[in-house]
Amino acid sequence: MPPVPPDAPGEGTPRGTAAGKARRWGSLARQALSGERESRGAPGSRATMCELYSKQDTLALRRKHIGPSCKVFFAADPIKIVRAQGQYMFDERGEQYLDCINNVAHVGHCHPEVVTAALKQMELLNTNSRFLHDNIVEYARRLSATLPERLSVCYFTNSGSEANDLALRLARQFRGHQDVITLDHAYHGHLSSLIEISPYKFRKGKDVKKEFVHVAPTPDTYRGKYREDHADPAGAYADEVKKIIEEAHNSGRKIAAFIAESMQSCGGQIIPPAGYFQKVAEYVHRAGGVFIADEVQVGFGRVGKHFWSFQMHGEDFVPDIVTMGKPMGNGHPMACVVTTKEIAESFSSSGMEYFNTYGGNPVSSAIGLAVLNVIESEDLQGNATRVGDYLTGLLNKQKAKHTLIGDIRMKEKQVLLSADGPHRNVLKIKPPMCFTEEDAKFMVDQLDEILTVVEEAIGAKSESMTSENTPCRTKMPNEAQSELLSEGTSDPRENPSRKRNGLCTDKHSLLSKRLKT
């Protein structure tokens, strides 16, 4: 990974490289903030200036004042991040990490155009959206232009959770129905209304599924109920939704909405089979409900060829409501619900005014406009396609090399990566969009080293096995197990054709729960 020292000059660095971009950003950011730093009189390096406490003091204060359910990454030894540039983050010692976690810093950490837009608008005005102002309408116009024509009415909020909560209100007001169909393992936010429709959360706690919530199987053709060898997996999964609707109607209930991420993220990076959303939308519309596409994590060009992930499913599929958040403000709290004029007018007819104090304020809208400008001017959609294809190629080579890897979709190695999915055996690669091929190569090299060590450790312990009929006792090193794979058993329906070179043939073998990259 190319080093990006805190005060490295930009001279002699190619403009197209990650290091060059990060250094230019750092220089511009330092210029913008130099007045503040001088007035504070803080000595030492930039990293030191960002610290109020030692790492141990910060940990102690966090334990004392921050709720215990608010977890940190790498809890056994948390990293204290004090600054970031582009796709790199730095701890209090100046150690550089490649950020493969932050889909929030969409166009790169501390992008100078975004910082400048925020600063300029803050110097002029920030107020609530009941005052007439150009920024909110200009942003709504620009945002709507990226969507199908019928999606043209915006409601601005401050988080994806707020957006999804509002989407449910819109859906329920539209026809007066209450029930919601959600996908298994789905996560749509932390509000009470969203925990209720998020199996990812409510199945881990003491809450039970509410009677107005219906859970459909995740349309996973790799490990799910209907797989790639099925004649029509899209139709089979959609029929599960149809069956839910029929059973709800037989019980006297009515469907208000079907909600799904366009690509399920927390549920394991699941891409539905072609045609699934179209069939589901048909059944839901027939029942008087609406289709809500949750783009909070997967929107704004991250899929490369399309600006919105739902557009991957074809021009003949258009949701009724789209929610968005995380990357929208590049770290600034900003989110939105976009819907049709018909649904918006129905919501208005309830007589209840919708008002959000901070949603769409002048500063947020200025930041949102800057993010859209950077996505376009730096061709970040194109970059996502190019680097994504390159990374997929690298990972496919690793798939052929490592038995732990199944489908293609690390802190000590200076790479920040997280795991998710029902069994937490899926690596989520979601870096800022300025991620380069050089970064992809570095990340995969580190992953290769880790998997090699893990497999060698497993291989050494597996030598004691004497029979295929003997239950597999092989275990991974504790650290590797906690960081990469989770406890639990494999899916007993695992496709035999996908079991490659496993060290144990028992269906509960830990190896059958491969990493998905």
Side-chain angles (χ1 to χ4, degrees):
M1 180 168 56
V4 185
D7 297 296
E11 290 81 9
T13 304
R15 293 188 60 83
T17 66
K21 184 179 292 184
R23 288 169 185 167
R24 293 197 306 279
W25 289 7
S27 176
L28 289 169
R30 284 195 293 276
Q31 292 173 23
L33 298 175
S34 59
E36 176 198 353
R37 296 187 188 283
E38 290 171 4
S39 66
R40 286 163 55 187
S45 69
R46 292 184 66 210
T48 302
M49 283 187 249
C50 297
E51 274 199 287
L52 295 176
Y53 307 101
S54 69
K55 180 176 178 178
Q56 292 307 312
D57 287 346
T58 302
L59 277 170
L61 286 167
R62 184 179 178 99
R63 293 188 186 108
K64 181 178 180 179
H65 295 297
I66 306 300
S69 58
C70 302
K71 306 298 185 182
V72 294
F73 286 126
F74 315 111
D77 182 23
I79 300 173
K80 185 176 182 181
I81 295 296
V82 297
R83 68 182 185 91
Q85 295 175 6
Q87 62 272 47
Y88 303 108
M89 305 181 84
F90 301 85
D91 67 15
E92 79 283 5
R93 299 168 301 157
E95 285 287 335
Q96 175 181 313
Y97 296 87
L98 178 61
D99 181 8
C100 298
I101 288 179
N102 260 294
N103 57 347
V104 177
H106 194 59
V107 300
H109 291 280
C110 305
H111 194 290
E113 290 188 31
V114 178
V115 172
T116 299
L119 181 63
K120 286 184 175 179
Q121 186 56 54
M122 284 181 188
E123 291 178 332
L124 289 174
L125 170 72
N126 199 21
T127 187
N128 69 61
S129 55
R130 285 188 176 183
F131 291 100
L132 193 63
H133 195 273
D134 287 346
N135 284 9
I136 188 172
V137 294
E138 173 60 8
Y139 186 69
R141 184 189 70 81
R142 289 276 303 278
L143 190 65
S144 299
T146 67
L147 290 157
E149 187 176 358
R150 62 189 294 259
L151 294 169
S152 60
V153 183
C154 302
Y155 296 88
F156 291 103
T157 66
N158 308 288
S159 71
S161 291
E162 277 190 69
N164 280 331
D165 177 77
L166 179 57
L168 291 181
R169 289 178 58 192
L170 290 169
R172 285 169 169 156
Q173 173 63 31
F174 186 50
R175 300 290 188 205
H177 300 176
Q178 289 298 311
D179 288 26
V180 176
I181 302 174
T182 187
L183 293 178
D184 204 3
H185 311 303
Y187 174 65
H188 294 289
H190 62 80
L191 300 182
S192 295
S193 63
L194 303 173
I195 295 296
E196 291 174 344
I197 64 167
S198 298
Y200 179 82
K201 287 292 186 181
F202 72 64
R203 285 187 171 167
K204 293 181 180 179
K206 296 180 180 179
D207 295 337
V208 296
K209 184 177 75 66
K210 302 295 191 293
E211 61 180 1
F212 58 82
V213 177
H214 310 276
V215 180
T218 302
D220 182 0
T221 60
Y222 180 72
R223 291 190 185 274
K225 186 174 182 179
Y226 308 108
R227 304 190 176 187
E228 292 173 350
D229 56 359
H230 191 279
D232 181 16
Y237 278 117
D239 284 345
E240 294 281 345
V241 176
K242 182 182 180 182
K243 187 187 306 181
I244 287 173
I245 294 172
E246 292 170 348
E247 291 174 352
H249 286 175
N250 291 338
S251 300
R253 310 198 65 86
K254 295 182 178 180
I255 303 299
F258 172 91
I259 184 169
E261 289 183 281
S262 303
M263 293 192 304
Q264 198 174 32
S265 50
C266 291
Q269 316 303 294
I270 305 301
I271 301 174
Y276 171 72
F277 278 165
Q278 285 89 335
K279 288 182 171 66
V280 168
E282 177 187 343
Y283 299 148
V284 171
H285 288 156
R286 194 183 301 166
V290 302
F291 193 112
I292 302 172
D294 181 343
E295 292 267 342
V296 170
Q297 294 204 57
V298 296
F300 288 89
R302 183 160 288 275
V303 297
K305 294 181 180 178
H306 302 282
F307 201 82
W308 303 104
S309 292
F310 74 79
Q311 293 171 324
M312 295 190 307
H313 301 280
E315 294 182 359
D316 60 335
F317 171 67
V318 179
D320 304 292
I321 301 173
V322 176
T323 60
M324 54 197 75
K326 291 186 188 299
M328 196 171 181
N330 209 53
H332 180 83
M334 188 178 185
C336 187
V337 179
V338 185
T339 189
T340 66
K341 186 176 181 180
E342 182 184 14
I343 291 174
E345 288 178 346
S346 172
F347 187 58
S348 178
S349 70
S350 69
M352 183 185 296
E353 178 186 9
Y354 174 75
F355 171 61
N356 189 308
T357 303
Y358 302 108
N361 68 71
V363 170
S364 294
S365 297
I367 289 171
L369 285 165
V371 170
L372 291 180
N373 289 340
V374 173
I375 292 172
E376 182 177 354
S377 66
E378 297 188 6
D379 187 28
L380 293 185
Q381 264 189 264
N383 188 63
T385 299
R386 291 186 295 272
V387 178
D389 289 345
Y390 177 71
L391 177 57
T392 299
L394 293 178
L395 291 172
N396 272 315
K397 291 179 181 177
Q398 294 298 311
K399 177 180 173 181
K401 179 178 180 181
H402 296 289
T403 60
L404 283 171
I405 299 180
D407 194 20
I408 296 295
R409 342 213 224 215
M410 297 164 276
K411 177 181 117 177
E412 285 72 17
K413 298 290 186 179
Q414 268 61 54
V415 177
L416 304 182
L417 203 59
S418 63
D420 224 319
H423 305 292
R424 292 196 62 77
N425 63 334
V426 180
L427 295 182
K428 294 176 70 172
I429 303 172
K430 46 175 185 165
M433 294 272 281
C434 50
F435 201 71
T436 67
E437 291 185 358
E438 184 180 17
D439 299 323
K441 179 67 165 59
F442 177 80
M443 187 211 74
V444 172
D445 286 347
Q446 308 316 303
L447 181 63
D448 181 20
E449 287 186 22
I450 292 171
L451 292 178
T452 298
V453 170
V454 170
E455 289 173 342
E456 287 175 352
I458 293 173
K461 290 189 176 184
S462 68
E463 293 176 359
S464 63
M465 292 187 298
T466 59
S467 170
E468 290 187 354
N469 295 324
T470 302
C472 183
R473 304 291 182 185
T474 302
K475 292 184 178 179
M476 297 174 63
N478 290 336
E479 181 180 354
Q481 186 170 351
S482 62
E483 291 284 348
L484 297 177
L485 302 178
S486 68
E487 296 178 357
T489 58
S490 64
D491 182 352
R493 298 188 66 260
E494 182 69 52
N495 190 333
S497 65
R498 295 185 180 277
K499 289 178 179 282
R500 303 176 0 266
N501 306 324
L503 295 175
C504 177
T505 59
D506 181 73
K507 71 179 181 181
H508 295 298
S509 168
L510 185 59
L511 280 180
S512 68
K513 275 178 51 185
R514 304 183 204 89
L515 292 172
K516 291 172 69 180
T517 53

